Amino acid sequence: MPALNLHHLRLFHAVAAEGTLTGAARRLNLAQSALSTQLKTLEATLGHDLFERRGRGLVLTEAGRIAFDHAETIFRTAEDLTATLRETGGSRRALRVGALATLSRNFQMQFIRPVIGKGDVEVHLRSGSQAELLRGLESLELDVVLTTHAPPRDDAIPWLVNRLADQPVSLIGTPRRVGSAGGDLAALLAEQPLVLPALDTALRASFDAFAAQLGVTPTVAAEADDMAMLRLLAREDLGLAVIPRIVVRDELAAGFLAEAAKLDRITETFFAVTVARRFPHPVLARILRDVSE
């Protein structure tokens, strides 16, 4: 297969962004015929049509969409390479943060708050499953992954697992429900319907073990693997939610929710996962250093 010409890829990217050959040619200060010829050369190299004509415009084909996504990654990586190796102080550095889809949004904001509004940092947030985020970290599409699950040790991939915090967990409900509930913790767990994390979460495993130690079989009103959904279910007064306080920090401060009891033996652990790099991301290194101090 012929080597990919990055100049042709840049021309393709410009056409895709403009949507017309005419507009792209004007922007690039090229003759439209020359631009068309070079696009055809790129399509021949890749073995697929990248555009289809619709009316007066051009629309990406499926192959074109894939090429466009890869082009964006290639050019972004090139910019990061220049910024990293030249250490250009005036350039903006992208910080690409992946977060488990079920992770507390409040915790995510707490992590990135030190760089929010900084003129030299551009934050990109992406959510997903643990597996796809770790793949993104391995391929250097992400700089860090925020999660509640430390990845297992892998000899092939040197994960660096930074333990950020152990957040306290409480029974949280509406002020009406909390005010009417009485008794000790065991009575609360036995008498009140509960909104619980999903069965396959570490937090649920910790809670189930705790309830078993108390000899309590709770009544489950709802389960969810998403912290935001647990918060909403608690606000809808389905029951008392087993949830880290940080998730409902704003609701507690505003009085929409109240704490019925602390679950002192249960915490939710948050991790920042990275990989060993010869050129560590300077912004990320600063955040992790500050968190550990």
Side-chain angles (χ1 to χ4, degrees), residues 76 93-101 103-116 121-128 133 141-146 284 287:
R76 184 172 62 242
R93 292 298 305 271
L95 177 63
R96 296 179 292 266
V97 180
L100 199 64
L103 197 71
S104 162
R105 272 46 172 181
N106 283 345
F107 186 80
Q108 294 178 46
M109 282 301 301
Q110 181 173 298
F111 182 82
I112 65 173
R113 184 166 286 116
V115 296
I116 291 294
V121 182
E122 185 177 305
V123 180
H124 299 264
L125 292 170
R126 171 179 150 193
S127 63
L133 292 176
E141 294 176 6
L142 294 173
D143 298 307
V144 61
V145 168
L146 303 180
L284 178 60
I287 294 175

Side-chain angles (χ1 to χ4, degrees), residues 11 20 57 59 67 73 90 95 100 116 121 136 161 171 175 177 192 194 198 206 210 238 265 287:
L11 298 182
T20 65
V59 177
T73 300
L95 177 63
L100 199 64
I116 291 294
V121 182
V161 181
L171 282 177
R177 181 176 294 278
Q192 289 289 325
L194 300 182
S206 296
F210 179 62
L238 267 71
R265 302 184 202 174
I287 294 175

Side-chain angles (χ1 to χ4, degrees), residues 1-226:
M1 182 177 180
L4 182 64
N5 186 311
L6 292 183
H7 175 63
H8 291 165
L9 195 62
R10 283 196 179 277
L11 298 182
F12 155 74
H13 188 271
V15 174
E18 290 289 333
T20 65
L21 275 174
T22 304
R26 186 182 305 114
R27 170 180 155 188
L28 297 167
N29 196 27
L30 283 176
Q32 186 171 326
S33 58
L35 180 56
S36 178
T37 298
Q38 295 186 66
L39 278 180
K40 285 184 171 59
T41 301
L42 177 62
E43 290 178 326
T45 299
L46 296 175
H48 293 279
D49 291 337
L50 302 178
F51 294 101
E52 62 181 37
R53 184 169 292 281
R54 290 188 188 171
R56 296 184 178 181
L58 295 174
V59 177
L60 289 169
T61 62
E62 182 180 356
R65 170 51 59 186
I66 293 171
F68 184 80
D69 290 343
H70 278 278
E72 295 228 299
T73 300
I74 289 168
F75 299 145
R76 184 172 62 242
T77 301
E79 291 170 0
D80 287 351
L81 171 64
T82 302
T84 299
L85 298 186
R86 291 184 180 174
E87 297 182 351
T88 50
S91 63
R92 288 172 63 83
R93 292 298 305 271
L95 177 63
R96 296 179 292 266
V97 180
L100 199 64
T102 57
L103 197 71
S104 162
R105 272 46 172 181
N106 283 345
F107 186 80
Q108 294 178 46
M109 282 301 301
Q110 181 173 298
F111 182 82
I112 65 173
R113 184 166 286 116
V115 296
I116 291 294
K118 298 288 186 182
D120 60 343
V121 182
E122 185 177 305
V123 180
H124 299 264
L125 292 170
R126 171 179 150 193
S127 63
S129 68
Q130 179 99 339
E132 63 185 352
L133 292 176
L134 291 179
R135 284 195 297 270
L137 189 60
E138 181 185 2
S139 64
L140 304 186
E141 294 176 6
L142 294 173
D143 298 307
V144 61
V145 168
L146 303 180
T147 180
T148 53
H149 310 295
R153 186 177 182 84
D154 190 331
D155 292 334
I157 308 168
W159 303 123
L160 302 178
V161 181
N162 304 270
R163 189 172 185 147
L164 298 180
D166 292 309
Q167 292 289 339
V169 176
S170 297
L171 282 177
I172 302 292
T174 60
R176 182 190 66 79
R177 181 176 294 278
V178 171
S180 63
D184 58 14
L185 179 56
L188 278 175
L189 295 176
E191 297 169 3
Q192 289 289 325
L194 300 182
V195 177
L196 298 178
L199 283 169
D200 60 350
T201 61
L203 181 54
R204 176 61 179 274
S206 296
F207 173 77
D208 286 347
F210 179 62
Q213 290 171 8
L214 293 177
V216 172
T217 302
T219 300
V220 180
E223 298 178 347
D225 64 357
D226 185 296

Side-chain angles (χ1 to χ4, degrees), residues 222-259:
E223 298 178 347
D225 64 357
D226 185 296
M227 288 295 166
M229 182 55 69
L230 287 176
R231 174 176 57 81
L232 292 175
L233 292 171
R235 287 194 61 168
E236 290 296 319
D237 200 24
L238 267 71
L240 294 177
V242 174
I243 194 168
R245 283 181 56 89
I246 191 172
V247 177
V248 290
R249 179 183 57 201
D250 297 338
E251 285 78 3
L252 290 172
F256 297 132
L257 292 174
E259 183 181 65

